[in-house]
């Protein structure tokens, strides 16, 4: 008996290919095994296995070797043609053929020339089953010709001119590689300005004096012959501006000197390619190279675009400083127009290259060898593509089919040959040739007609040994024609094995994905075809895996002490393990301090160098395990206190008393780490349905080491155990062996069963399916049953699988149904489920609500009422009623503005609802619709209603215009929302004195048709605050406020507007000539002089005085430094409202202030608010209505530059 052990994973690799034959009656590649010990009498047509390339360039200094290798049974003989005629190698003493091969060796090293044997060669390999031919091999010797002799004149150019140094290498075979170097064989530097083109020429966009040299040399390297040819050196001299002027100075007048620039700057022009357009053709699969080189000053930069698309991202590369665009693996999709753009500071130039991608023939479906048995049918397909479309031609045994012997089993249809009822005489080798102007493809494919009974090639009674829970692969290599069918059996009376548990591979191998103990036994492989039968027995043994019972643990020991690592393994009793100890993945030191016994490694007198990683490796012939621990060596220290930690995990898990629905689990506790174990937690994994997911199974006390576990049917169980103490829970133990319970009928039905229609004529039944764990067996399905709830119909049922939904079509609209979903599997049915009620699909409601009526509550609120619709007309679940309402508009407004409809939905069967947010004094229209799960029903008839008047909004704007000495004119726009009929406007106003105290309030009623009003008999140079609002019959609306100042007199200058931050315009005259002003200023000057004298006297006495205290507390803004940025006073923050008019300033006469822009209100002035802040955050002052006058230090001083304020301050 032959023994085969099974490694951890044994894939079907190519290494087994010589041991078996994989046959398929589909069109596929076939390789008949030629091992003479197995198949001495099996014949096979020839197959070419190796040949020289189609374009074969040889080194004329070496012997010519033209390869042609083939295999077949019997071994093929070889012959050659040269230039289409038979090549008789026996007549040429320099030509020999290798023994057992078709390879030609032509000895030209002793005598003869390579050119004599230049030509087209083709090899034919032939045996009794047919003839295979090679490609046409074009043999050409490589050539590396010399440059022709030429005299090259020196080149003299002015700095900045363009230049092309031609290379024009001799034509060699293969083409030479071009590069430019100097006499010292150093490559010439290249850049965006100087670069080598694809043709080998050296291009200068513009020359510089540093380009001057006498050794520009073009080299051509011919790699095939490893030779380098060189062109004559080219001399270049670049004359700078200074040199040119020196030369001109000696011969010409001063007027002919060149300017400072070396050469006139110029826009780009292309050196190559020429013109605006060019064409490029490339073959599919090659590298497309497009080149644009431009001259210009400054040096141009090159850009590339594709006019009708984008450049392929992963296949596009830029070479030669972006002057060359390369696209690799080019295809027909890359055809199109490519544009290169040369650009510098003076302009740009474009060139378009039209690219056409052609294609030599390439395979779509290449013909494959075909093995048939007598009387069978088959097909050879030869399908190729190219541009232009290739022509397909067939040969048989190297002869065109048109002149070959006729075969009645063969029928040719273009690129396909169909065979029917073949016989052994139909065996032949067919050649398919696909060719166009760019090349050809030639493929050999044989048709081998064999009649062979099955043969088993795997050795009989092979023994396979596999570790439990790993895959087992049992070989059954076979051969036969026609293709045998393979069956596997277990035991002497077992039935054929099927693919529910096993995997049957096409090559005959039987795979057991998870081998268990009960997989042990004898397996029989049977191969059958119409010519006979063969069988072979192999044996499988399942071994227990090797695992650790005790493994080495991390250790910290003191120098000079002793340490012991323990390593115990549990293994299959038929396998003998070997234990190997390693240190840092190497052998243990050769030191007597290290001793190894059966289960322990002991290190005595530990030294610092003993620290490291120690590994225990246990190996058997089938598996191996290893475990490592780190040893850390420390200096001697006092004995540490005991360490308390979570327990070590349990180990050595075993399953016993294995029954259908229970099993006993036993384990060994790990170290409790100085804290007693309180309980064990057991978890399970279902490897069949939820691999990798662990679920809770049971808990037992910390004193138990066994547990009786209840199991579910058809589950592949693995168990693990965790220990818990007062510190915490251990990591899980290693998993136990797997245990597969037997299948049973389901013990529960799907949950969440529902019946809801998605269309008016269907019922969609859904449920939450059972998971694999709940299936209790293979073949899980669901029996779905339904009938109308209110009818006498029988239950209708259907059985489905792998779904959680079933749609019943053709149902009446919105009818209640009783529904049941019952689980079943291959064993039987689950218990009878309870019926649930569902409904078929809803449709839109048919009837609109009736008797719609509206009662108006107030000017912004109304209540709608309606009668409910009949329940049957709802045709679905009643979700509520929906009210659409909108404000009616005149026909002219309706044309200009879209009507905005508002929607309110009232849930359930409610028959009334409130409509909030209405606009007063408006006409509204509404309708009501019923809503179900499908949507809305028809609308009721429109019902209109009116809302009563309300209070108006504030006037849209308020402007004070045309201020005079004693009058102000107010202009306003009516309220944007009058909310009724305006009855009148109310205007209230009151004066504000210089201390911001409010005067008496005056009320004035203005007719509603007015938009302008003039107030007369006002005080001159006085600020007034106005409160303005509209009224309807309901009441007053919101007010808008404004402030304004009357002028001083007809010749006065208007003071700044403190409250609003604006000044009123007025007629201005020179007040410096007015008598009253001159007298006033004299009085002011005299008063200031007296104050200064008093201050001076009191300062000299060292005392304090009220003015000084006031200056200390509130600095006079007139004597504060001006800010540099905006000219405002240094310490006074109310810069906007109180600063004096600047020179040349103009204040607007239109004091339009809208309501929302006003910062002032009645509260600010008359309702006791002690302090307010301007828009910029500065303090306004005391605006209370108190009679006592309070000092307004900051604000009063800020008005001092105004003559009026100056006068007021002394009143």
């Amino acid at each position: 008996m032959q023994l085969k052990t099974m490694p951890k994973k044994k894939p079907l690799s190519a290494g087994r290919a010589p041991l078996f034959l994989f046959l398929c009656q589909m069109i596929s590649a076939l390789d008949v095994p030629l091992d003479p010990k197995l198949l001495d009498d099996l014949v096979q047509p020839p197959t070419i296995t190796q040949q020289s390339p189609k374009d074969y360039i040889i080194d004329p200094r070496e012997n010519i070797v033209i390869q042609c290798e083939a295999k077949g049974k019997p071994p093929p003989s070889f012959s050659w043609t040269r230039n289409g005629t038979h090549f008789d190698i026996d007549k040429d003493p320099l030509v020999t053929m290798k023994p057992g091969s078709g390879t030609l060796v032509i000895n030209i090293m002793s005598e003869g020339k390579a050119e004599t044997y230049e030509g087209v060669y083709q090899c034919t390999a032939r045996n009794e089953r047919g003839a295979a031919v090679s490609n046409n091999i074009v043999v050409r010797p490589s050539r590396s010709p010399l440059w022709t002799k030429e005299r090259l004149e020196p080149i003299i150019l002015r700095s900045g001119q363009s230049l092309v140094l031609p290379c024009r290498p001799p034509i060699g075979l293969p083409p030479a590689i071009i590069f430019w170097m100097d006499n010292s064989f150093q490559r010439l530097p290249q850049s965006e300005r100087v670069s080598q083109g694809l043709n080998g020429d050296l291009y200068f966009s513009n020359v510089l004096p540093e380009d001057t040299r006498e050794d520009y040399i073009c080299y051509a390297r011919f790699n095939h012959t490893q030779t380098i040819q060189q062109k004559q050196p080219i001399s270049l001299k670049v004359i700078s501006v200074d040199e040119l002027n020196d030369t001109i100075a000696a011969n010409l007048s001063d007027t002919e000197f060149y300017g400072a620039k070396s050469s006139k700057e110029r826009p780009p022009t292309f050196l190559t390619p020429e013109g605006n357009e060019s064409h490029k053709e490339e073959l599919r699969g090659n590298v497309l190279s497009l080149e644009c080189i431009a001259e210009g000053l400054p040096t141009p930069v090159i850009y590339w675009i594709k006019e009708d698309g984008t450049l392929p991202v992963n296949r596009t590369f830029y070479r030669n400083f972006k002057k060359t665009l390369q696209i690799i693996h080019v295809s027909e999709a890359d055809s199109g127009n490519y544009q290169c753009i040369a650009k510098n500071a003076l302009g740009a130039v474009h060139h378009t290259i039209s690219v056409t991608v052609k294609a030599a023939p390439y395979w779509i479906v290449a013909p494959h060898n075909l093995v048939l048995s007598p009387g069978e049918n088959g097909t050879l397909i030869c399908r190729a593509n190219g541009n232009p479309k290739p022509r397909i031609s067939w040969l048989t045994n190297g002869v065109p089919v048109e002149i070959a012997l006729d075969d009645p089993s063969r029928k040719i249809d273009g690129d396909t040959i169909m065979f029917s009822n073949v016989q052994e005489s139909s065996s032949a080798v067919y050649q398919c040739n696909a060719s166009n102007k760019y090349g050809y493809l030639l493929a050999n494919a044989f048709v081998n007609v064999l009649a062979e009974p099955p043969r088993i090639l795997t050795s009989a009674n092979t023994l396979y040994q596999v570790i439990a829970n790993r895959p087992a692969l049992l070989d059954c290599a076979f051969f036969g024609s026609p293709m045998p069918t393979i069956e596997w059996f277990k035991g002497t009376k077992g039935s054929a094995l099927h693919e529910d548990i096993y995997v049957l591979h096409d090559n005959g191998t039987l795979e057991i994905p998870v081998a268990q103990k009960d997989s042990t036994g004898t397996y029989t492989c049977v191969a059958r075809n119409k010519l006979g039968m063969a069988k072979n027995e192999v044996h499988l043994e399942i071994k227990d895996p090797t695992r650790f019972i005790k493994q080495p643990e991390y250790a910290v020991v003191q120098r000079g002490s002793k340490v012991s690592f323990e390593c115990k393994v549990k293994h299959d009793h038929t396998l003998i393990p070997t234990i190997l100890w390693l240190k840092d993945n190497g052998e243990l030191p050769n030191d007597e301090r290290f001793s190894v016994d059966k289960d322990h490694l002991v290190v005595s007198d530990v030294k610092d160098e003993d620290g490291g990683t120690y590994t225990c490796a246990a190996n058997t012939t089938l598996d191996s395990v290893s475990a490592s621990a780190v040893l850390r060596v420390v200096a001697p220290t006092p004995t540490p206190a005991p360490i308390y930690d979570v327990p070590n995990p349990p180990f050595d898990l075993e399953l016993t008393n294995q029954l259908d629905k229970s099993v006993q689990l036993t384990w060994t506790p790990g170290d409790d780490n100085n804290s007693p174990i309180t309980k064990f937690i057991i978890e399970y994994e279902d490897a069949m349905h939820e691999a990798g997911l662990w679920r809770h199974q049971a808990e037992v006390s910390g004193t138990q080491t066994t547990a009786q576990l209840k199991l579910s049917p058809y589950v592949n169980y693995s168990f693990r155990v965790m220990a818990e103490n007062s510190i915490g829970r251990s990591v899980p133990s290693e998993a136990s062996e797997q245990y597969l319970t037997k299948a049973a009928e389901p013990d529960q039905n799907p949950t969440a069963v529902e019946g809801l229609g998605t269309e008016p004529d269907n019922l969609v039944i859904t449920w939450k399916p059972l998971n694999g764990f709940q299936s209790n067996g293979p073949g899980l399905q669901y029996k779905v049953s339904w009938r109308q709830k209110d009818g006498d119909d029988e239950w209708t049922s259907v059985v489905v699988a792998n779904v959680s939904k079933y749609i019943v079509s053709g149902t009446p609209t919105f009818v209640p149904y009783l529904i049941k979903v019952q689980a079943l599997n291959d064993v039987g049915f689950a218990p009878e489920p309870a019926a649930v009620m569902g409904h078929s699909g809803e449709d839109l409601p048919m009837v609109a609500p009736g008797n719609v009526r509206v009662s108006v509550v107030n000017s912004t609120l109304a209540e709608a009422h309606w009668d409910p619709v009949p329940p049957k007309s709802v045709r679905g679940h009643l979700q509520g009623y929906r009210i659409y309402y909108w404000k009616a508009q005149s026909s002219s407004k309706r044309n200009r503005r879209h009507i905005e409809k508002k929607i309110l939905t009232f849930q359930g069967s409610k028959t009334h609802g409130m409509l909030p947010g209405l606009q007063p004094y408006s006409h509204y229209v509404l309708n009501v619709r019923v809503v179900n799960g499908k949507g809305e029903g028809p609308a009721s008839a429109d019902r209109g209603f009116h809302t009563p008047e309300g209070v108006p909004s504030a006037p849209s704007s308020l402007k004070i215009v045309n201020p005079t000495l004693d009058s102000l004119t107010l202009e306003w726009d009516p309220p944007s929302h009058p909310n009724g009929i305006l009855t009148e406007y109310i205007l209230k106003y009151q004066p504000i004195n210089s201390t911001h105290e409010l005067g008496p309030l005056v009320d004035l009623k203005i007719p509603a048709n007015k938009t302008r009003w003039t107030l007369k008999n006002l005080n001159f140079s006085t600020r007034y605050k106005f409160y303005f609002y509209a009224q309807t019959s309901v009441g007053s609306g919101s007010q808008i406020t404004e402030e304004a100042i009357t002028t001083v007199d007809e010749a006065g200058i208007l003071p700044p507007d403190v409250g609003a931050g604006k000044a009123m315009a007025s007629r201005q005259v020179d007040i410096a000539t007015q008598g009253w002003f001159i007298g006033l200023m004299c009085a002011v000057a005299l008063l200031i002089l007296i104050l200064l004298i008093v201050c001076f006297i009191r300062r000299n006495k060292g005392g304090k005085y009220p003015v000084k205290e006031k200056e200390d507390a509130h600095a006079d803004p007139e004597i504060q430094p001006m800010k540099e940025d905006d000219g405002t006073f240094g310490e006074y923050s109310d810069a906007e409202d109180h600063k004096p008019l600047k020179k040349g300033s103009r204040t607007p006469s239109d004091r339009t202030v809208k309501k929302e822009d006003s910062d002032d209100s009645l509260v600010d002035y008359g309702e006791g608010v002690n302090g307010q802040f301007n828009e910029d955050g500065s303090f306004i002052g005391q605006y209370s209505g108190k009679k006592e006058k309070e000092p307004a230090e900051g604000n009063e001083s800020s008005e001092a530059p105004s003559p009026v304020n100056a006068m007021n301050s002394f009143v």
Side-chain angles (χ1 to χ4, degrees), residues 19 344 366 407 569 599 680 746 750 821 832 1032 1079 1086 1139 1143 1161:
L19 300 178
N344 68 7
D407 184 353
V569 295
D599 299 322
F680 292 100
V821 180
E832 184 70 18
T1032 64
L1086 180 60
K1139 64 186 177 184
K1143 182 178 180 181
S1161 69

Side-chain angles (χ1 to χ4, degrees), residues 1 12 181 236 242 259 411 433 564 584 670 753 854 894 1171:
M1 178 184 290
L12 297 176
M181 295 197 298
L236 170 63
D242 294 337
K411 180 182 178 182
N433 186 300
S564 175
D584 297 329
V753 178
V854 182
R894 192 179 304 117

